[in-house]
């Protein structure tokens, strides 16, 4: 009798496991957002390399920043595309950030920083910029494209 119960339990587990697997496959249309790791190395140059990236809407983004420059601080802030002029002030840039999480704050020379944030749910053109005074006009902006 105990053997039969054990066998029944085992069969039930197998059936449930099979159903679970099928359920996962069925849910692939609404697959969990993907994870993207992006890295920028800051130098004493006023530029971002790469200067354009694209990610799917709602994906999880990890940004690693490594300021290998000796003296100049930089930051990485995600803003909506086309909202900042080259002469935007640091305060205007901070205020334009799409979220607090997508804002590294200043990363001093020799320091590293990491941000984890969710890409915007709305596909479109965004930008990443440096909020340190004078750096945006110096060329520190890049295209961040959010695709469907
Ligand atoms: Cu900068």
């Amino acid at each position: 009798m105990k053997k039969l119960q054990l066998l029944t339990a085992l069969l039930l587990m197998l059936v449930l496991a099979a159903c679970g697997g099928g359920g996962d496959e069925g849910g692939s249309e609404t697959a969990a957002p993907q994870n993207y790791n992006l890295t920028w190395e800051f130098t004493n140059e006023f530029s971002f390399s790469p200067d354009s990236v694209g990610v799917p809407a709602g994906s999880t983004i990890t940004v690693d920043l490594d300021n290998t420059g000796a003296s100049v601080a930089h930051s990485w802030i995600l803003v909506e595309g086309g909202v900042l002029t080259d002469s935007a002030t640091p305060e205007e840039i901070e205020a334009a950030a799409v979220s607090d999480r997508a804002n590294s704050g200043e990363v001093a020379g020799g320091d590293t920083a990491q941000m984890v944030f969710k890409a915007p749910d709305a596909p479109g053109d965004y930008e990443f910029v440096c909020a340190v005074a004078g750096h945006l006009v110096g060329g520190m902006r890049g295209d961040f494209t959010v695709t469907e």
Side-chain angles (χ1 to χ4, degrees):
M1 191 63 179
K2 266 193 172 172
K3 254 187 184 171
L4 186 60
Q5 283 175 339
L6 192 66
L7 192 64
T8 304
L10 198 64
L11 282 172
L12 191 64
M13 280 166 60
L14 283 171
V15 167
L16 287 175
C19 285
D24 286 348
E25 283 164 31
S28 63
E29 290 161 22
T30 54
Q34 289 176 276
N35 297 307
Y36 288 82
N37 280 71
L38 306 173
T39 302
W40 277 271
E41 179 183 324
F42 290 139
T43 64
N44 286 336
E45 306 280 317
F46 298 138
S47 65
F48 285 109
S49 179
D51 64 1
S52 72
V53 296
V55 300
S59 52
T60 301
I61 312 296
T62 302
V63 173
D64 283 296
L65 303 172
D66 185 2
N67 191 345
T68 59
S71 54
V72 182
H74 295 291
S75 66
W76 192 108
I77 299 180
L78 185 64
V79 301
E80 285 200 36
V83 300
L84 294 176
T85 65
D86 278 346
S87 58
T89 65
E91 292 74 24
E92 287 169 336
I93 295 170
E94 296 274 349
V98 298
S99 84
D100 289 344
R101 287 171 164 259
N103 179 350
S104 70
E106 285 195 17
V107 182
D111 280 359
T112 61
Q114 185 181 71
M115 290 173 284
V116 179
F117 62 90
K118 194 166 146 304
D121 289 321
D125 295 329
Y126 297 79
E127 285 185 293
F128 49 91
V129 299
C130 177
V132 176
H135 290 201
L136 179 59
V137 70
M140 288 199 79
R141 70 196 307 162
D143 295 322
F144 190 95
T145 306
V146 176
T147 57
E148 301 240 3

